[in-house]
Amino acid sequence: MISKRYQPVVQALMMSVIMVTIMTAVITALNTGIDGSFPGRWARAMAVAWPIAFCIILIAGKRVMRLSVALCQRD
């Protein structure tokens, strides 16, 4: 198992992979269609989007969590 201190990085990694995989598939399919070259286009889109998403989640993740907690204080 991975050390507990790496949990924020592992969470950011997992969240970014899931988000980017789904979003790039949908956007690539809508913009260019699904044909024989779709997997290559999708892979290129993922290669560009994933590092960006990962960094954003690492940088903004805690702030977004605090903001969501502050916004959801009422029962």
Side-chain angles (χ1 to χ4, degrees), residues 11-40:
Q11 180 178 341
L13 175 75
M14 293 171 64
M15 187 178 295
S16 64
V17 167
I18 292 167
M19 179 181 64
V20 167
T21 299
I22 294 167
M23 293 300 298
T24 56
V26 170
I27 293 168
T28 302
L30 286 174
N31 286 336
T32 64
I34 299 176
D35 57 17
S37 61
F38 174 79

Side-chain angles (χ1 to χ4, degrees), residues 1 3 5 12 18 27 42-43 47 53 62 64 68 70 72:
M1 277 293 167
S3 173
R5 70 183 183 154
I18 292 167
I27 293 168
W42 184 13
K62 283 188 180 183
V64 171
S68 67
C72 299

Side-chain angles (χ1 to χ4, degrees), residues 25-72:
V26 170
I27 293 168
T28 302
L30 286 174
N31 286 336
T32 64
I34 299 176
D35 57 17
S37 61
F38 174 79
R41 292 190 312 269
W42 184 13
R44 282 190 298 279
M46 285 181 64
V48 170
W50 178 78
I52 296 166
F54 180 64
C55 291
I56 290 169
I57 292 169
L58 278 178
I59 293 167
K62 283 188 180 183
R63 291 181 189 114
V64 171
M65 186 181 303
R66 279 184 284 213
L67 178 60
S68 67
V69 167
L71 291 171
C72 299

